[in-house]
Amino acid sequence: MDLEMVWNTFIENLLSTSKFKEVSMSKRAGIPFLYLTSASPNERKTIEPLIENAAVKAMKGKRLHFESVYVRKENELLVYRSRFYVPQQKMFCCGNLCHDCIRFR
């Protein structure tokens, strides 16, 4: 699975919302950061559901998880530490009746 393709789809989905003038991803020390320049002053409460929805659309049909953590805001620029990652698979049954238990396969 190519995560670069997922990131490109994710960024395209964010740009299509017309809430952002510019969206980019940059890796610093191996950690991906999402830079969003909003078209108008917006609060985190309105931005974060847009990020989650765009991630869900980008991950559709793939076994991925998405994590996004707010870092800072500078005028109209919002910065989030965001990543797509492949979930680890369980190798044994722990007895806690987990939804992804190895017994259900």
Side-chain angles (χ1 to χ4, degrees), residues 47-60:
I47 298 291
E48 289 174 0
L50 295 173
I51 294 171
E52 291 292 327
N53 289 338
V56 167
K57 289 178 185 175
M59 294 184 305
K60 188 171 184 164

Side-chain angles (χ1 to χ4, degrees), residues 7-24 35-37 50 54:
W7 271 104
N8 290 337
T9 306
F10 174 61
I11 290 172
E12 288 173 10
N13 289 337
L14 283 174
L15 285 171
S16 69
T17 62
S18 71
K19 294 273 186 182
F20 306 108
K21 287 191 279 189
E22 189 176 333
V23 178
S24 64
Y35 295 91
L36 305 165
T37 305
L50 295 173

Side-chain angles (χ1 to χ4, degrees), residues 2 4 7 16 21 34 49 51 61 65-66 87 89 96 100:
D2 187 18
E4 190 68 32
W7 271 104
S16 69
K21 287 191 279 189
L34 181 65
I51 294 171
H65 286 282
F66 178 72
Q89 290 186 337
N96 290 332
D100 60 345

